[in-house]
């Protein structure tokens, strides 16, 4: 049984992320979507909301689990008995940062491989930041995120502007 970990901030989970989850299941038997608190990025959504939304989005996908993790990713991966990390790569602009992270993680655990997957080209420009900007400016969201994610973002911005 090959277990993969798909780590990220998921603030919020987008259709691009779900596309990567589905592609990962072609490579791994089981996938854990692992959500980092990542306070450095000052996420818009609390960790509990990010986990809840990722669970909603993946509820019909077999062999997918969602949980949060704290501390070093490599330690979490080892604890979960996973063999690989999944990262989505959209464009050359993603490459440098992803390359650094993959090499650092391999330095920390030489058994750990990072597998890069490309999302469908219709999501190649999509980022959580773009989705948040759209939500802040009351733009259309359903094309880019699950309807429950869209609702949550709208509520969050409404609360912030109250
Ligand atoms: O979705 P993101 O923000 O690109 O995800 C980044 C993430 C969560 C994968 C990265 O920040 C991470 O691995 N955080 C856990 C702490 C860690 O292990 N850091 C060292 C590797 S960069």
């Amino acid at each position: 049984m090959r277990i993969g970990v798909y780590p990220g901030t998921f603030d919020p989970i987008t259709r691009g992320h779900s596309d990567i989850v589905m592609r990962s299941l072609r490579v791994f038997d089981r996938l854990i979507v692992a959500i980092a608190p990542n306070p450095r990025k000052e996420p818009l959504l609390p960790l509990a909301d990010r986990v809840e939304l990722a669970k909603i989005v993946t509820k019909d996908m077999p062999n997918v689990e969602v949980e949060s993790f704290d501390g070093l990713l490599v330690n979490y991966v080892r604890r979960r008995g996973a063999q690989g990390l999944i990262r989505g790569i959209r464009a050359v602009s993603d490459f440098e940062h992803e390359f650094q992270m993959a090499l650092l993680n391999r330095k920390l655990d030489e058994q750990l491989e990072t597998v890069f997957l490309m999302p469908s080209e219709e999501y190649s420009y999509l980022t959580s930041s773009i989705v948040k900007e759209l939500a802040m400016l009351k733009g259309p969201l359903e094309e880019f995120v699950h309807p429950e994610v869209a609702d949550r973002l709208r509520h969050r911005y409404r609360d912030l502007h109250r």
Side-chain angles (χ1 to χ4, degrees):
M1 161 91 66
R2 299 200 73 77
I3 304 173
V5 168
Y6 180 25
T9 308
F10 298 98
D11 184 41
I13 188 163
T14 67
R15 293 196 189 279
H17 291 126
S18 335
D19 181 86
I20 295 291
V21 170
M22 287 185 293
R23 287 173 198 282
S24 305
L25 292 169
R26 295 183 184 157
V27 183
F28 289 94
D29 304 305
R30 268 183 59 208
L31 187 74
I32 304 167
V33 177
I35 308 191
N38 231 343
R40 208 167 42 95
K41 280 199 167 176
E42 300 185 1
L44 172 73
L45 298 173
L47 180 61
D49 286 28
R50 288 181 271 143
V51 170
E52 187 195 343
L53 291 171
K55 283 186 176 165
I56 291 170
V57 168
T58 59
K59 72 176 187 310
D60 294 327
M61 298 179 192
N63 304 319
V64 177
E65 194 185 319
V66 177
E67 68 177 14
S68 59
F69 75 99
D70 244 331
L72 269 185
L73 177 59
V74 290
N75 292 342
Y76 172 75
V77 171
R78 219 176 281 138
R79 253 192 341 267
R80 293 305 316 260
Q83 289 77 30
L85 276 177
I86 303 271
R87 292 288 288 174
I89 199 149
R90 290 162 298 206
V92 180
S93 51
D94 283 340
F95 183 75
E96 197 165 334
H97 177 62
E98 294 300 331
F99 186 67
Q100 280 174 348
M101 269 204 315
L103 289 186
L104 173 66
N105 285 327
R106 193 158 71 189
K107 188 90 187 156
L108 297 174
D109 181 347
E110 64 182 29
Q111 299 303 315
L112 183 61
E113 293 299 341
T114 300
V115 177
F116 292 109
L117 294 178
M118 283 174 289
S120 161
E121 57 275 15
E122 67 182 300
Y123 303 125
S124 59
Y125 59 90
L126 185 59
T127 64
S128 295
S129 304
I130 282 178
V131 168
K132 282 181 279 187
E133 182 156 344
L134 273 176
M136 189 176 71
L137 300 172
K138 302 188 168 62
L141 296 175
E142 272 75 5
E143 202 178 317
F144 311 110
V145 293
H146 186 286
E148 297 240 16
V149 176
D151 272 357
R152 193 70 57 96
L153 286 176
R154 289 195 188 101
H155 280 116
R156 186 83 181 116
Y157 278 112
R158 211 168 299 150
D159 291 348
L160 283 176
H161 293 130
R162 218 170 248 162

